[in-house]
Amino acid sequence: MGAVAAAAGSAVGLGNVWRFPYVVGEDGGAVFLLLYVIFTALISIPIMMTEFAIGRKTGLPVTSAFSKLAPGSKWGLIGVLGMLTAFLIISYYNIVSGWTLYYSVASVSGWLDSLSEPEVTDFFSSLSSDPFRCIIWMVIMLTATAVVVAQGVSGGIEKYSKILMPLLFILILVMVVRAMLLPGGLDGLAFFVKPDFSKLTTRTVFDALGQSFFSLSIGMGTMTTYGSYLRKTENISSTAIHVASIDFLVAFLSGAVIFPCVFAFGINPGEGPGLVFVTLPNIFNQMPFGRIFSSCFFLLLVVAALTSSVSLLEVVVAYFKQSFKMGRRRATILASVSCLFFGLCCSLSQAVFNIFDNVTANIMMPIGALLIVIFAVTRIKREDMRAELEKHGKPFRLFNLYYFLVRYVVPVVIGIIFINGIVAWLSK
Ligand code: PFF
């Protein structure tokens, strides 16, 4: 299994197609996009490389990698924080996966077929405000995730996703073309790519950093665990750049579909977590073979969500296995049942859902990322880090830049954004 494909399976998911557009919409459009690109290039890619390097160096998942490099210290808590973050994310992530699954069933059955624009909005509101249906579909997705993890067949599903994800990509490309041709579509594109700096707020910066971490699955050790599977011959820096580029492209294209539609159909870009679901059915209704496109799109998105959800549950299961000395199956059952409990809380309350979503991406992941880079520069010798990044046998020409970013830029930028963001958040 290619390292890039495996890590991209975790990175590309609902974060790209569901979360990215709704946060862009809430945070003023293109300014957010600009910050997102800058943070991904200068902050997130170096963090991903660091996580890969720590994982490969130790050959261990996040739950034990840090304590191996610093025995007897408290650094092992990075693993605990990562586990807690994964736990909270799964709890609400599977609700959105459940909505996606419901939309695939609705597409196949033709329920979405001839809905007018207000009916599309009502369709989503009636689903999201009905805890019973949300719970049923969430349980189906959580169970699917648990079955994959319990059987230890994540590699198998990633193999399928290697074929299916390019298909999703092609479908999104077709949708981009259709969306641009809608009347008013180009205004939507302008909102997405032409920055209006008057919309720049502390909140925009805070959210852009959080979204970049969330989308790339960094700051909680998932990528450390993937790093432990990387072969010696693999080039860590180019793997990280590839994964980040694929991830960015999917998010960017999703935005290039959503915003033209948002403007063409008079939807509020700041609609929130329902944005994708109240927007996309409208465009499928205007496409030839819309029902087939819609069914394929939502089904492929379910697969993308599943590979990400599996990588999240793996973090929790690895922790339970190690800490409570239990087998994979029992650990999976225990982890999933606990996630189910928190998932129920998110289904019953929109406020809890929003808090989990914000706290994990904007607070827990940046703290995790900060700890990981501080660990890397204080506990691993510079030359050892260089050796790990050059293990595949070729010099890493940008090593000095990488080290400068990780040592100074990443911690300072995360620190400043984080403190300002928390103050702004609390005073909202
Ligand atoms: N990156 C995933 C997405 O964009 O949907 C979400 C995610 C998966 C976050 C795994 C964190 C993680 F460890």
Side-chain angles (χ1 to χ4, degrees):
M1 186 64 208
V4 173
S10 166
V12 175
L14 296 170
N16 307 61
V17 180
W18 159 73
R19 198 175 192 278
F20 176 78
Y22 105 67
V23 189
V24 173
E26 280 184 338
D27 278 329
V31 220
F32 178 96
L33 178 66
L34 183 67
L35 287 170
Y36 180 80
V37 172
I38 297 173
F39 289 153
T40 300
L42 298 181
I43 310 273
S44 301
I45 292 179
I47 296 173
M48 189 186 280
M49 287 165 57
T50 309
E51 287 204 32
F52 280 156
I54 293 173
R56 185 166 73 181
K57 191 169 168 51
T58 54
L60 292 170
V62 59
T63 38
S64 30
F66 293 90
S67 25
K68 176 169 178 195
L69 289 173
S73 71
K74 293 260 181 295
W75 286 106
L77 288 175
I78 294 178
V80 180
L81 177 67
M83 185 276 292
L84 286 175
T85 312
F87 197 88
L88 295 182
I89 298 180
I90 304 171
S91 307
Y92 74 87
Y93 199 86
N94 276 293
I95 296 182
V96 186
S97 306
W99 293 343
T100 314
L101 183 61
Y102 182 74
Y103 268 63
S104 2
V105 175
S107 307
V108 174
S109 324
W111 302 337
L112 291 169
D113 249 6
S114 45
L115 297 185
S116 65
E117 287 147 35
E119 283 169 340
V120 166
T121 309
D122 290 346
F123 189 88
F124 178 72
S125 326
S126 93
L127 170 66
S128 63
S129 58
D130 176 357
F132 181 71
R133 267 189 295 163
C134 287
I135 290 168
I136 300 273
W137 294 96
M138 169 193 70
V139 169
I140 297 177
M141 285 307 294
L142 190 58
T143 310
T145 310
V147 168
V148 173
V149 173
Q151 316 250 325
V153 291
S154 323
I157 161 132
E158 274 158 9
K159 233 175 260 164
Y160 286 111
S161 83
K162 217 173 160 179
I163 308 162
L164 296 177
M165 288 310 101
L167 270 180
L168 176 63
F169 186 77
I170 294 169
L171 240 150
I172 297 180
L173 272 181
V174 176
M175 288 158 70
V176 171
V177 176
R178 181 64 191 96
M180 301 277 190
L181 296 175
L182 289 168
L186 291 180
D187 294 337
L189 191 68
F191 171 83
F192 183 47
V193 296
K194 242 170 122 188
D196 170 357
F197 288 96
S198 67
K199 300 224 174 97
L200 182 64
T201 62
T202 309
R203 178 81 210 185
T204 317
V205 185
F206 188 50
D207 284 348
L209 186 74
Q211 173 60 22
S212 180
F213 289 174
F214 184 87
S215 193
L216 289 173
S217 313
I218 55 172
M220 46 181 288
T222 307
M223 290 299 171
T224 311
T225 307
Y226 277 102
S228 69
Y229 307 139
L230 283 179
R231 271 179 264 117
K232 262 201 267 174
T233 48
E234 217 92 53
N235 180 345
I236 286 186
S237 53
S238 72
T239 304
I241 292 171
H242 273 109
V243 173
S245 311
I246 295 170
D247 190 74
F248 174 74
L249 211 58
V250 177
F252 182 82
L253 292 177
S254 303
V257 174
I258 300 286
F259 290 106
C261 294
V262 163
F263 278 68
F265 298 115
I267 296 165
N268 169 17
E271 170 79 31
L275 186 67
V276 170
F277 296 98
V278 299
T279 307
L280 290 184
N282 290 317
I283 188 171
F284 291 125
N285 283 340
Q286 305 227 345
M287 280 166 84
F289 310 109
R291 184 164 160 190
I292 299 176
F293 270 109
S294 172
S295 312
C296 296
F297 174 82
F298 285 112
L299 279 172
L300 291 170
L301 192 54
V302 166
V303 178
L306 190 64
T307 53
S308 300
S309 178
V310 162
S311 76
L312 283 160
L313 192 60
E314 283 281 3
V315 174
V316 185
V317 167
Y319 184 84
F320 280 21
K321 261 170 65 185
Q322 190 188 37
S323 305
F324 308 122
K325 305 267 170 293
M326 44 171 73
R328 171 168 277 272
R329 286 217 171 159
R330 291 185 82 185
T332 310
I333 294 172
L334 189 65
S336 327
V337 172
S338 332
C339 289
L340 178 63
F341 171 75
F342 283 96
L344 292 181
C345 302
C346 295
S347 313
L348 294 171
S349 156
Q350 180 72 40
V352 175
F353 179 103
N354 289 341
I355 290 176
F356 276 28
D357 186 19
N358 273 304
V359 166
T360 46
N362 292 349
I363 299 181
M364 296 174 83
M365 293 173 107
I367 295 182
L370 191 59
L371 293 175
I372 291 171
V373 289
I374 295 177
F375 176 89
V377 294
T378 57
R379 289 300 181 129
I380 301 174
K381 289 199 200 90
R382 184 187 159 103
E383 283 319 304
D384 288 352
M385 190 53 110
R386 183 197 279 274
E388 194 54 53
L389 293 173
E390 294 183 340
K391 218 180 216 167
H392 59 290
K394 293 215 184 81
F396 175 28
R397 265 181 265 121
L398 295 178
F399 180 78
N400 288 339
L401 172 66
Y402 157 79
Y403 208 76
F404 176 76
L405 289 173
V406 167
R407 180 155 194 178
Y408 301 107
V409 179
V410 174
V412 170
V413 172
I414 296 183
I416 295 175
I417 295 176
F418 186 68
I419 294 167
N420 278 316
I422 297 277
V423 172
W425 194 49
L426 293 177
S427 56
K428 204 169 71 163

